[in-house]
Each structure stands twice: as structure tokens, then as C-alpha cells.
Amino acid sequence: MPKTAFKVDLRRPPEQAEVKTHNRWHPDIPMVETFKPGSEFRVECFDWTGGQIDNDDNANDIRDVDLTKVHYLSGPFAVEGAEPGDLMVVDLLDIGYLPESPWGFTGIFAKENGGGFLTEHYPQARKACWDFHGIYTQSRHVPGVRWAGIIHPGLIGCLPSRELLDRANRREAELLSTDPNRVPPLLAPPYADTALMGQMTGSKAQQAASEAWRTVPPREHGGNCDIKNLSRGSRIYFPVYVKGGGLSMGDIHWSQGDGEITFCGAIEMAGWIDIHVDLIKGGISKYGITNPIFRPSPIEPRFAEYLVFEGISVDETSGKQYYLDAHVAYRRACLNAIEYLKKFGYTGEQAYVILGTAPVEGRISGIVDIPNACCTLAIPTEIFDFDIKPNTSGPSREVPTGSDIAACH
Ligand code: ZN
């Protein structure tokens, strides 16, 4: 087992930890440790909310979660000799859950606090908890499904440069100004009050926190990409923007469907990641890199059979025609899948959570056939205990009446 370079203690709030996590991105966040190229080390991570969610049957904690405090990230780590213009080569050697915490959660976020891809249809906070059994997971809140995890960090990236920080802050401020009071908001602007700046303290930390990026979106440095195939066994090539690189990570997912559609749509957990680091000097210009690139893992759950739902870029409520809009088309594909799964006895919320958590494949299938984009959502049929394929006798109601994911009370 490689040396643990970052430890977390789930019995204490992250704010009281000796080596502090960070929940913002800024070029001046101090490195936790420097490793030579070729080093291996283990990084432990809180779940993305820093322990705000409990393993119980009440969604009040999802409804009330403080989203200005996320994501709790472990790092940053420097690689000796890394300079702007290089590529940091990061192998995710292995990933697992912390032995004292063999469970995960999925939230449907309230429209007033986070929202989600289908928030107009499912505006209330809800929660599902998942137990891990070896490589498999099951949920008391979502009967009839079981599958092997495709474990990955939802969030991993290197520190941004000062120039990149300023550039993204400008473009995001411009977007926010178009509709500053929207619910849910267009984006999360800098917010100093709950900022954790790692090992940076005092007035320097306060000043940096007022301009530091929130961790919500993916950007040129990587960040919160939420790519399910960035799983254990993958190799990622990160553009280096500051001296040392500054690799940080967190938001570990046991499993996730393409799009992570309920927003906290994956199976979220606390865990550990074994990392190997290396460098490609001058790699950014050698390979024409702007955003990270990666090679997926040779190990992923394999499914032989899928049922695929199509969606087109026509709004489901107004009937309005959109022009090649993949966002609308993917939403329609998801809604079509949910309506289908409801015929087997699932509530809409249970079906929504299955699409967020199971390894469903989302694709832009057609993007040139004016005026409709065509997006598809492929559900592996083998995750279900029962047959979900269409047949002449129609769907059998397999899900026990009264079963649902957790509501607020
Ligand atoms: Zn996540």
C-alpha cells in the first residue's frame, strides 16, 4: 500500500482537521507535499459535502445542505520539476471506500437549493442511500437493481494560473449578469465566507478567497468533470498551469450515469485514491492540449444488452421547437426513460435516481439533422432483477407498492 499523503477523519468536521482540505481553486493555495516524478501515494477524501449527509431515511439534510461549502478537496500535491506548459500524467491506480464508511448517497436537490437536470419535474429534495457489498451496490430505497461500481473521482484537477483564474472569473461574471436572480442560479460566483483555502491562512487567505473559483464547474484545468469513465485504472494528462502543478481531488463516486442528472446524481462517498504521477515536459504545445485528456480504464463493468431511449430537441411542456439543442434532447431522452420505468412500479423519483447512478450511457447520436438534435440514453438491462424489455403481454409491476426514496419529514 502506498504511503498516505492525505488523511481524513470522518469523526470530526473537515474544518477541524489538522491538514485542511480546500473548497476553492486559486493559484496560491500552498502545496501539501511535493513528489518526484514516478512517485505513488494514497489520498483520502471526504465525500463532496464534507459529511453533511447521513445514512438514514430523511431527506432534510439534502434539502438543507450548505452548497457554498462544497467540494471538500484533498491536496494540492506538487510534482518536482513541473512547470507551466508541461503535462502532469496521473494514473488512478486504484480507488475504494473508507472501511469505516461502506455506504453512499444520492440526492435529488430542491429547486431552491441546487436543483438538477429535471428540476422542473422533480423540484423536491429526496435521498437514496446505497450499501456496498464487495464490488456491488444495492439500495433499500431503490429495490430491484444491483450492479458493479465504476468508481471514479467526480472532481480532479490542477491549480489554475493567475491568468486563467482572472479569465474565467470575467466570463462567468458576464454570464451571471444576464440573469443574476435566477433560481436555480446560472453559476456559483466567488464567495469568501465559507471558503477553505487549504494551508493558506490569515489576511492572505481572505483576500484570495474573495476571487477564488468555486468548485462547481469543470474548467480548462479539469475540476468537476463528473466523467464516469475517469475510473480506477485510468490515466489522465493534465495541463500544468502553475509551478509544481498542484493536483487536488475529491467528490468520489461509486457509480454514476452519464450526465449525473440529479445534480448530486452519482452514488457519493468518502474514499481513497492511489495515485502515480509523472511529467511530459512541454506537453501542452507538443500535443495541442487545452483541457485534460485521458485514457479510460481497462477494467469497467461490461454489459451485453441495453435498452436505448431517444430524445429530440422539442420542449416537453410547451412543444417549442429548438435548433439542434442537445440539452433539450438529452432531457427528453431521460424523461422518456423515466416514464417507461414507472410502468414497472417505480416512482418517478426512483427512476430519476436510477438514471443518475447506474452506468447508463448518454450519447449525442445526431447533431446535424436540422432542426432536431437526437440524444440517446442507454440503460443496461442486466442491472434489473426482472426483465424490462418490451413484450406483447406488457410490463409486470415488479416494484413493491409503497417503496420510494427518502422524502423530507
Ligand atoms: Zn459528486
Side-chain angles (χ1 to χ4, degrees):
M1 191 175 111
K3 164 199 158 170
T4 301
F6 202 101
K7 263 201 98 50
V8 301
D9 180 355
L10 300 183
R11 295 163 304 180
R12 290 199 298 174
E15 285 76 5
Q16 291 172 17
E18 232 162 90
V19 181
K20 299 247 182 320
T21 48
H22 63 103
N23 61 7
R24 301 291 189 270
W25 291 107
H26 191 282
D28 299 335
I29 295 176
M31 304 293 173
V32 169
E33 192 169 347
T34 299
F35 291 96
K36 288 192 188 325
S39 301
E40 289 180 14
F41 52 95
R42 174 166 292 198
V43 181
E44 294 181 352
C45 301
F46 289 100
D47 82 84
W48 75 297
T49 70
Q52 294 186 61
I53 309 301
D54 292 323
N55 186 358
D56 62 17
D57 303 317
N58 188 338
N60 288 3
D61 48 10
I62 294 283
R63 180 193 65 199
D64 302 332
V65 71
D66 186 346
L67 289 174
T68 70
K69 291 183 173 178
V70 304
H71 303 70
Y72 287 83
L73 302 182
S74 301
F77 302 100
V79 176
E80 205 173 288
E83 290 168 297
D86 297 344
L87 290 177
M88 189 193 288
V89 185
V90 176
D91 285 319
L92 305 177
L93 297 174
D94 202 359
I95 311 178
Y97 59 82
L98 296 177
E100 64 272 31
S101 182
W103 70 284
F105 64 90
T106 307
I108 296 177
F109 274 60
K111 189 178 171 189
E112 301 75 35
N113 190 24
F117 190 48
L118 306 178
T119 199
E120 299 303 329
H121 300 270
Y122 299 100
Q124 313 281 346
R126 293 283 185 275
K127 180 169 77 178
C129 297
W130 303 82
D131 298 311
F132 305 144
H133 306 275
I135 65 167
Y136 296 102
T137 192
Q138 276 179 296
S139 170
R140 62 186 179 274
H141 296 124
V142 190
V145 288
R146 174 181 184 264
W147 67 85
I150 175 169
I151 309 181
H152 58 277
L155 201 161
I156 183 166
C158 289
L159 295 182
S161 63
R162 160 58 59 181
E163 187 276 327
L164 182 55
L165 181 89
D166 292 342
R167 176 153 45 101
N169 276 342
R170 277 195 303 275
R171 72 194 180 201
E172 289 178 20
E174 192 181 317
L175 173 63
L176 187 62
S177 70
T178 62
D179 191 357
N181 301 316
R182 185 177 184 269
V183 179
L186 285 170
L187 57 88
Y191 182 74
D193 285 10
T194 48
L196 298 172
M197 303 299 286
Q199 317 318 305
M200 194 197 282
T201 51
S203 58
K204 190 167 183 245
Q206 271 180 347
Q207 166 57 29
S210 68
E211 59 180 7
W213 286 346
R214 301 284 291 282
T215 57
V216 181
R219 298 186 182 88
E220 289 87 335
H221 69 134
N224 194 23
C225 291
D226 289 318
I227 302 168
K228 78 175 192 305
N229 307 88
L230 209 74
S231 58
R232 56 181 173 161
S234 301
R235 171 171 290 181
I236 319 169
Y237 303 83
F238 287 105
V240 171
Y241 290 107
V242 301
K243 191 171 181 299
L247 178 73
S248 288
M249 65 209 73
D251 186 25
I252 301 178
H253 298 162
W254 175 267
S255 173
Q256 183 210 295
D258 283 342
E260 207 196 0
I261 61 171
T262 75
F263 177 61
C264 169
I267 299 176
E268 308 284 347
M269 67 180 205
W272 53 267
I273 308 179
D274 286 348
I275 297 281
H276 176 278
V277 287
D278 216 329
L279 287 177
I280 297 178
K281 295 298 292 176
I284 288 184
S285 63
K286 274 181 189 160
Y287 290 103
I289 302 290
T290 300
N291 297 65
I293 60 175
F294 73 98
R295 283 163 44 191
S297 173
I299 298 171
E300 284 182 356
R302 242 185 296 285
F303 300 102
E305 202 174 63
Y306 289 85
L307 192 60
V308 186
F309 294 84
E310 302 180 7
I312 56 171
S313 47
V314 176
D315 184 81
E316 66 276 11
T317 310
S318 66
K320 185 179 168 193
Q321 177 72 59
Y322 283 84
Y323 175 73
L324 299 179
D325 189 324
H327 190 266
V328 176
Y330 195 52
R331 187 172 75 230
R332 293 303 303 272
C334 292
L335 289 167
N336 289 342
I338 289 172
E339 287 311 308
Y340 185 91
L341 292 176
K342 280 162 72 174
K343 299 293 183 193
F344 295 85
Y346 285 117
T347 63
E349 285 81 1
Q350 284 175 319
Y352 188 14
V353 159
I354 290 172
L355 301 189
T357 55
V360 303
E361 302 279 336
R363 298 223 168 89
I364 295 177
S365 299
I367 199 75
V368 294
D369 298 315
I370 52 173
N372 275 328
C374 179
C375 286
T376 51
L377 179 86
I379 305 179
T381 55
E382 292 135 280
I383 66 170
F384 295 91
D385 295 349
F386 48 90
D387 187 4
I388 68 153
K389 294 192 294 293
N391 60 50
T392 48
S393 49
S396 54
R397 287 187 67 89
E398 297 279 353
V399 182
T401 322
S403 121
D404 204 351
I405 63 172
C408 298
H409 45 80

